[in-house]
Amino acid sequence: MLRTALRNVLAHKARLMMTVLAVLLGVAFVAGTLIFSDTVSSAVKKASEKNLAGVAVSVQAEAPDNSTNANPDAKRTTLVDDKLADKVRALPGVESVRRNVNGTATVAGPDNVPLGNEWGNLATNFQPGKDGHDPRYPLLKGRGPAAGNEIALDEATAEASGHKIGDSVRFATSGPVLTKKLVGIVSTDDPQVTAGGSLTLFDTATAQKLFLHPGQFDELVIGAAPGADQQALTAKVSEVLKDRGTATSGTEAAAEQSELVARQTESLTQTLLSFAGIALFVGVFIIANTFTMLISQRSREIALMRAIGASRRQVVRSVLAEAALLGLISSAVGFALGIGLAVGMRAVLDADGAGFPDGPVVISPVAVLSALGVGVVVTVLAAWLPSRKAAKIAPVEALSTVEAPPARRSLVLRNSLGAVITGLGIATMCYVSTLKDAEDLPIAMAGGMLTMTGVIILAPMLSRPLVSLAGVVTTRLFGISGKLAKENTLRNPRRTAATASALMIGLTLITGMTVVGNSAGQAMDKMTAQGLKADYKIGTTTFTGLDPELSQKVADIPGVEVAAALRHTSFNTPSASMALEGTDLSAIGKVAQLDFLSGSLKGAGGNDIAVSQEMAKMKGWQTGDTLDATFVDEKKAKLKIVGIYADNELLGDSIGATSLAAPHQIEPMVESLLVKAQDGPSEELEKQIRHTLGDSPLLKVQDRADLRKENAATINTVLNVSYGLLGMAVIIAVVGVVNTLAMSVFERTREIGMLRAIGLARSGIKQMVRLESVVIALFGAGLGIAVGVFCSWAAGNLVSQGLPTYELLLPWGRLALFVLIALVVGVLAALWPARRAARLNMLEAIGAQ
């Protein structure tokens, strides 16, 4: 029987080729994802280990309880100082102590564009030895910074900014723009910098002045003397620190970094594997379809085997062995393709700014076994039902002709099961439509899967009315070819349903994500339009805020009608914790949408505040109530509610006068500045605003279009990535249509010959096969779009919690595009099968057995 299985694979190479392609694409995705994950994890881990080389103990400074700061990049206070560092240095077994000051600095590139990224723009102190070199940051050119007006940059940042030794470099930390002389260019292995960030080095005194206070440090990096026990040294350091810092051994620090790397890559790996699972799930339909058709074509051969003594179990084993061999071949080719996919994926993400460290491609045994195992198991499982069908072929069928149509099985049981599962899915999704918590997403996913599974099971029943309806159109437009295409599609509803279902799965997911993404994008646009009257919203990329003195000067710029600064703080009441936006109460209504449900800001000032509708409703507050408030600086006040306004994302929980909020800010700062222009936004006015605010590379001067674009950027990125990944499922579905049509043409060889004999031209044969393909594709697309829209409607409330303006808006243009794509898919998938059918020799086809 094993020889029979091998012979069958070799005898049907062309017919099985499309099945091989479907399996290897899915396996390639699995293998590529696992290899990519292992490669990146290994590279980052090695870079982290190199970065921690020589670190026996790391001491992280603790901040005093009273040093809490609303501005994370303003000057901080720590408990690690020179005296403590000297005590640690004096401990037995300590060979060296590196005293680090850490902060962030953003360098201005060409056209004042900020370089690096917001979270990876590191700034620290250069610590030279007697030779003037810092082993942590090897010099490539020049020397290390030694005075307050000098800095050094990493090589990539210097190259990106176009700066050379001796140039003046503009940069910003948390305050005004600073300019210093570039005296050195260094190299670094810090993963945070190599992953797209930047490195700016100062002398120690300057770094402390910018980020801390004289004599204070964020971190002590301790090197051990030869032979010193790392754990024992860590314990000694901890005793000296007491409550002034946290000591971690170098081994523990490396383990923590490895765990962090694993967490960072875990979500990406899981996402890619989920799409790989979808691709393989789609492939199941193609594999099952292929083996069902092959068994139908080999029914006489299988009957002869049964007649000469083969048992049912041997027949099942033969089919499964054939499937396993096919899966093994597909998996091997898919694994090789997956290696290329992993390399390409890394290159694409690096080009997009991911900045993964260099390292060799890592192929682990787990990746090999997983890829091969998945491919073989999926193929064998998909072939199991067809193998059972093959085992039921009776020996007496060896006496019948190959052309005898197989007996049609009843769909009653299948339809009943499908109706139950679909009903459960619809009921679940209707329940989901009443939920508003994003944590209920797993329920929505389960309901969506039930609904999609039920529709797949019901697809043969649904195919009859829908294909018949399509047949009316094809018959009227294309005559006899259209009618034949309809009849051929309806001839085997199970096969039609399985072929269409492969396409349906991909389009269900794509449609659902598109509808939700479009609706969320429209909701964000609405929030931007409703909440903002200003022409510009000005802030910083690092959320460190604007200088209040500079912000006041913006109102004096010619062309500015009004400017209102928002100064953020917070306070607690006995029943709630609230954010407070301090602003010019006489101007805020001109730059922000402020609709009062009760009361107003007229004559408000001092300790008067207005609260949002949601907060007032939640706490039962009304206009005229007085709140006992304790601000973040522990100062207390009695606040009077003078108005309740409709919820506004921009203004948050409450608003009050600048004079109320500003004294309670830990660090004086303007969170954002709202500017309304006399004649609307203009490029010249934006330049003047930037110049007035110091031309800082941290500045974000955004008009409404920029805000909409920023809001839509994340959604569009997710959608585009999803389209690309789900495109794999659609490609596999196309392969399924091609495979089904090709094998169907083989089954109908004699029939096609008869059609040619009675006068149907070659063009008519081609048209018949093409229309059959188009009808199947449109059937799958119709089901997919319908299920996708239904699921996105039901899950809409889960999105509305974070987006109060969310409502379902169908992107008719994109849905029409999906239908058009299905139409094109149908035409393209039929090219080869139609050409093959049209080229059949009439007499040979009629005589085919």
Side-chain angles (χ1 to χ4, degrees):
M1 298 305 293
L2 290 175
R3 286 198 300 271
T4 301
L6 179 60
R7 181 185 60 80
N8 285 331
V9 170
L10 296 175
H12 303 98
K13 293 188 291 291
R15 278 179 261 174
L16 291 172
M17 189 58 65
M18 293 298 175
T19 306
V20 169
L21 186 59
V23 178
L24 73 85
L25 287 175
V27 170
F29 222 129
V30 173
T33 299
L34 294 175
I35 293 171
F36 168 79
S37 177
D38 290 340
T39 299
V40 170
S41 297
S42 174
V44 176
K45 184 177 180 181
K46 287 180 180 177
S48 298
E49 290 173 350
K50 188 174 181 181
N51 192 45
L52 290 170
V55 178
V57 184
S58 172
V59 174
Q60 300 296 323
E62 294 288 344
D65 293 338
N66 61 356
S67 69
T68 303
N69 201 314
N71 184 351
D73 282 324
K75 289 185 182 179
R76 306 180 306 278
T77 300
T78 74
L79 297 175
V80 173
D81 54 21
D82 281 312
K83 290 183 179 179
L84 181 62
D86 290 340
K87 286 183 180 180
V88 172
R89 179 66 182 87
L91 288 173
V94 173
E95 184 176 55
S96 63
V97 175
R98 182 179 180 86
R99 311 175 189 205
N100 292 340
V101 179
N102 299 322
T104 61
T106 301
V107 176
D111 299 324
N112 209 41
V113 176
L115 299 178
N117 52 49
E118 297 169 7
W119 56 269
N121 292 337
L122 302 184
T124 187
N125 53 322
F126 187 83
Q127 302 175 55
K130 293 180 180 179
D131 59 355
H133 291 265
D134 185 341
R136 180 69 184 79
Y137 303 110
L139 281 165
L140 300 176
K141 295 180 182 178
R143 59 178 176 80
N149 66 335
E150 298 176 346
I151 65 168
L153 298 175
D154 67 284
E155 184 179 22
T157 302
E159 183 178 345
S161 62
H163 287 124
K164 298 180 180 178
I165 300 296
D167 288 351
S168 293
V169 178
R170 297 179 72 254
F171 67 94
T173 54
S174 60
V177 177
L178 301 173
T179 302
K180 295 185 185 295
K181 182 180 178 181
L182 180 64
V183 297
I185 296 175
V186 303
S187 65
T188 179
D189 296 314
D190 193 313
Q192 198 166 335
V193 179
T194 58
S198 66
L199 174 67
T200 308
L201 296 174
F202 307 93
D203 67 284
T204 298
T206 301
Q208 289 173 332
K209 182 179 178 181
L210 287 171
F211 306 116
L212 295 173
H213 298 274
Q216 293 187 337
F217 304 96
D218 289 294
E219 179 185 21
L220 299 179
V221 177
I222 301 165
D229 182 82
Q230 198 177 93
Q231 296 300 326
L233 185 59
T234 304
K236 291 179 183 178
V237 172
S238 296
E239 290 179 7
V240 173
L241 290 177
K242 297 182 180 177
D243 295 328
R244 301 174 66 181
T246 303
T248 306
S249 69
T251 304
E252 292 173 347
E256 288 176 2
Q257 284 204 359
S258 297
E259 185 178 349
L260 178 62
V261 170
R263 287 200 302 268
Q264 289 174 339
T265 57
E266 184 180 13
S267 59
L268 177 61
T269 301
Q270 289 178 347
T271 300
L272 293 174
L273 285 176
S274 65
F275 283 106
I278 292 169
L280 287 168
F281 184 59
V282 171
V284 166
F285 291 90
I286 298 171
I287 299 165
N289 231 8
T290 301
F291 275 94
T292 299
M293 296 172 75
L294 283 174
I295 287 165
S296 177
Q297 294 168 16
R298 301 202 317 247
S299 59
R300 190 175 186 183
E301 173 188 331
I302 294 171
L304 283 171
M305 291 172 59
R306 294 277 288 115
I308 61 175
S311 66
R312 289 188 174 186
R313 183 172 297 181
Q314 285 178 310
V315 172
V316 170
R317 287 177 180 173
S318 174
V319 175
L320 294 183
E322 186 177 343
L325 184 59
L326 183 68
L328 187 61
I329 295 171
S330 305
S331 299
V333 179
F335 185 80
L337 183 62
I339 297 174
L341 185 64
V343 173
M345 197 185 307
R346 181 175 175 180
V348 169
L349 291 175
D350 276 338
D352 197 39
F356 295 119
D358 293 331
V361 176
V362 176
I363 302 176
S364 66
V366 173
V368 177
L369 295 176
S370 297
L372 296 179
V374 164
V376 173
V377 169
V378 166
T379 309
V380 170
L381 287 178
W384 184 73
L385 285 177
S387 72
R388 300 274 297 177
K389 180 182 177 182
K392 293 179 181 179
I393 296 176
V396 71
E397 292 186 34
L399 303 176
S400 63
T401 62
V402 176
E403 294 79 12
R408 291 188 177 181
R409 290 180 292 162
S410 172
L411 291 172
V412 173
L413 180 60
R414 176 170 179 156
N415 291 342
S416 300
L417 179 62
V420 171
I421 294 177
T422 305
L424 285 173
I426 293 175
T428 303
M429 295 310 292
C430 288
Y431 168 68
V432 167
S433 68
T434 66
L435 303 176
K436 293 187 178 181
D437 194 336
E439 293 182 357
D440 294 319
L441 182 60
I443 301 176
M445 294 175 65
M449 285 297 296
L450 280 173
T451 304
M452 187 167 64
T453 303
V455 172
I456 290 172
I457 296 173
L458 287 176
M461 181 187 74
L462 297 173
S463 68
R464 292 191 178 279
L466 295 177
V467 171
S468 296
L469 182 62
V472 173
V473 178
T474 58
T475 301
R476 181 163 297 182
L477 293 178
F478 301 99
I480 189 63
S481 295
K483 185 175 182 179
L484 287 171
K486 181 198 75 170
E487 295 298 330
N488 289 334
T489 306
L490 290 174
R491 181 180 299 184
N492 193 328
R494 294 175 186 268
R495 182 185 302 172
T496 298
T499 307
S501 294
L503 185 60
M504 169 200 159
I505 295 167
L507 279 175
T508 295
L509 298 171
I510 289 175
T511 300
M513 298 188 73
T514 300
V515 172
V516 172
N518 176 73
S519 300
Q522 295 290 337
M524 287 183 175
D525 281 351
K526 191 179 295 185
M527 285 175 62
T528 301
Q530 287 180 352
L532 189 68
K533 288 183 180 179
D535 294 304
Y536 291 105
K537 180 182 178 185
I538 304 167
T540 59
T541 57
T542 53
F543 306 102
T544 52
L546 304 167
D547 186 336
E549 293 183 5
L550 292 177
S551 300
Q552 292 173 6
K553 296 180 180 180
V554 173
D556 298 329
I557 298 175
V560 171
E561 180 180 335
V562 61
L566 297 180
R567 300 185 66 166
H568 180 84
T569 188
S570 60
F571 63 87
N572 293 324
T573 69
S575 61
S577 296
M578 295 184 61
L580 173 67
E581 299 295 340
T583 187
D584 182 347
L585 298 182
S586 64
I588 189 63
K590 299 176 182 179
V591 293
Q593 189 71 35
L594 200 55
D595 299 323
F596 277 92
L597 306 176
S598 66
S600 70
L601 291 175
K602 187 176 181 179
N607 287 358
D608 296 335
I609 64 169
V611 299
S612 67
Q613 178 184 8
E614 181 182 8
M615 186 59 69
K617 183 179 179 181
M618 186 186 305
K619 300 302 177 184
W621 294 333
Q622 295 180 353
T623 299
D625 289 350
T626 300
L627 307 179
D628 293 321
T630 302
F631 286 90
V632 290
D633 58 358
E634 302 300 328
K635 293 181 180 178
K636 301 180 184 296
K638 287 188 178 294
L639 307 179
K640 182 181 178 180
I641 299 176
V642 297
I644 297 173
Y645 56 87
D647 294 336
N648 185 315
E649 190 76 14
L650 187 66
L651 301 177
D653 296 337
S654 64
I655 55 175
T658 302
S659 59
L660 173 62
H664 302 293
Q665 287 186 296
I666 301 298
E667 185 73 21
M669 58 172 281
V670 171
E671 184 183 43
S672 58
L673 183 65
L674 307 180
V675 177
K676 188 170 182 62
Q678 293 174 353
D679 302 317
S682 66
E683 187 176 343
E684 184 61 31
L685 180 58
E686 182 178 334
K687 288 182 179 179
Q688 291 182 24
I689 292 173
R690 286 185 175 278
H691 181 69
T692 301
L693 292 173
D695 280 327
S696 171
L698 302 179
L699 271 180
K700 288 175 67 176
V701 181
Q702 299 172 292
D703 58 20
R704 296 187 192 184
D706 293 330
L707 289 170
R708 288 191 177 100
K709 186 177 180 181
E710 183 179 63
N711 289 336
T714 302
I715 293 176
N716 289 337
T717 299
V718 172
L719 284 178
N720 290 335
V721 170
S722 299
Y723 288 161
L725 295 174
L726 289 172
M728 179 72 75
V730 175
I731 291 172
I732 295 175
V734 173
V735 170
V737 177
V738 175
N739 205 23
T740 298
L741 289 174
M743 300 187 75
S744 180
V745 166
F746 177 82
E747 284 183 344
R748 303 202 305 263
T749 298
R750 193 171 190 180
E751 176 186 318
I752 292 171
M754 293 295 293
L755 289 172
R756 291 277 291 114
I758 61 176
L760 189 61
R762 292 182 186 272
S763 60
I765 296 293
K766 285 184 179 181
Q767 192 175 72
M768 177 187 71
V769 177
R770 280 197 298 265
L771 289 174
E772 185 178 346
S773 176
V774 167
V775 168
I776 292 174
L778 289 178
F779 173 54
L783 290 181
I785 291 173
V787 175
V789 168
F790 170 73
C791 291
S792 59
W793 163 79
N797 274 347
L798 301 183
V799 183
S800 64
Q801 184 187 30
L803 288 172
T805 55
Y806 180 90
E807 60 178 328
L808 185 71
L809 295 171
L810 296 181
W812 294 107
R814 292 196 183 186
L815 296 182
L817 178 63
F818 295 159
V819 175
L820 180 61
I821 290 174
L823 184 65
V824 173
V825 163
V827 173
L828 294 178
L831 287 178
W832 178 60
R835 185 169 178 269
R836 184 173 181 272
R839 293 180 63 183
L840 288 174
N841 182 282
M842 186 191 311
L843 296 177
E844 290 180 358
I846 293 174
Q849 295 295 321

